[in-house]
Amino acid sequence: PERVAALRSRYRGGGLTIGLAWFTKADQEQGRGIALEQLEPLSMTAGVRFVSVQYGDHRAALAAFKDEAGVEIFEDPSIDQMKDLDGFAAQLAALECGGTTYNSAAHFAGALGVGLRGATGACAPVTMSCGASSSSSGASSCAYSSSWGSSCS
């Protein structure tokens, strides 16, 4: 709770605080990530502070994106989700909403019940349900679903 409160305080900028993740190393051929440039329409959003919840070091790409698109996406150097899962969970809990591809941010947000905008378009706490697969391997498949339907705005 204390770490969440400290991160909320750090991220607040007078408006809505939204976390963003745009990339996953897994299954790139399936198109589960987007190019950072596709987030350029965010430049039309006033009163919002964007926070990167993307794993890895993207400082150079985010600086170039800010120069080109005029959108600042804050990358918190105190959070390394590859080494500090508690910190990453606190970061997600400190946000008011988020948008993500299906990477670790989506899975953690689902586990925490943190609002995110993903494939459903809803910004709501999400739950994950797993069921038997129809694939020949018999592996189970999991999907997130909204537990309520509010919007991010």
Side-chain angles (χ1 to χ4, degrees):
E2 290 131 15
R3 195 164 184 190
V4 172
L7 290 171
R8 274 192 186 132
S9 177
R10 180 181 309 154
Y11 298 159
R12 293 287 187 243
L16 192 64
T17 306
I18 299 178
L20 297 173
W22 57 92
F23 175 80
T24 180
K25 289 181 182 177
D27 298 326
Q28 279 302 106
E29 66 277 0
Q30 293 179 11
R32 294 195 312 177
I34 62 170
L36 188 55
E37 294 75 26
Q38 289 179 272
L39 297 176
E40 191 168 339
L42 297 176
S43 64
M44 296 180 282
T45 309
V48 173
R49 174 121 196 237
F50 297 106
V51 177
S52 172
V53 294
Q54 179 63 57
Y55 58 83
D57 182 354
H58 297 276
R59 286 178 290 186
L62 291 173
F65 183 65
K66 181 180 178 185
D67 289 343
E68 293 167 15
V71 178
E72 180 177 7
I73 302 174
F74 175 68
E75 186 171 48
D76 190 340
S78 75
I79 303 296
D80 182 345
Q81 66 176 268
M82 302 303 273
K83 295 180 181 177
D84 180 10
L85 295 180
D86 288 337
F88 180 49
Q91 180 184 43
L92 288 171
L95 301 169
E96 294 168 287
C97 193
T100 182
T101 59
Y102 291 104
N103 66 9
S104 57
H107 297 292
F108 263 74
L112 294 168
V114 171
L116 69 95
R117 187 180 302 273
T120 65
C123 179
V126 294
T127 56
M128 186 169 82
S129 59
C130 299
S133 171
S134 58
S135 72
S136 60
S137 70
S140 64
S141 62
C142 300
Y144 297 101
S145 63
S146 269
S147 58
W148 51 274
S150 73
S151 70
C152 228
S153 54

